[in-house]
Amino acid sequence: MLMKLRPTVRRKVALKYAEAYQIAFDAEMVSYKQDNCGRREANTRLRNFVDTYAEASDGICQPAQAFKGPQAKGLGQ
């Protein structure tokens, strides 16, 4: 997932990944579940971030939708 991001962003995202892992790891009370819980939370956050922002950081955007106000329906006259 990190390879989909620009190199300048990867380091920051990796630090946030580690923070998310540690928070989830510490929140789990059962010792043998801590590692899995931490990885699950950090991977979910990483996946959501990359899916949402990877294309935008490369400048790939969807065209803006046309405004459909009252004039578009013929009500503005």
Side-chain angles (χ1 to χ4, degrees), residues 12-28 34-47:
K12 294 175 188 175
V13 172
L15 288 173
K16 291 294 183 182
Y17 179 93
E19 289 175 12
Y21 173 88
Q22 194 62 49
I23 290 169
F25 183 92
D26 293 338
E28 180 59 52
Q34 287 177 324
D35 189 43
N36 189 37
C37 185
R39 279 187 282 137
R40 184 184 325 109
E41 180 65 25
N43 286 334
T44 300
R45 287 185 183 195
L46 175 63
R47 198 169 35 254

Side-chain angles (χ1 to χ4, degrees), residues 70-77:
Q71 292 177 344
K73 295 180 183 177
L75 301 174
Q77 296 177 357

Side-chain angles (χ1 to χ4, degrees), residues 49-61:
F49 179 82
V50 170
D51 289 343
T52 304
Y53 297 109
E55 290 180 348
S57 70
D58 286 336
I60 302 171
C61 300

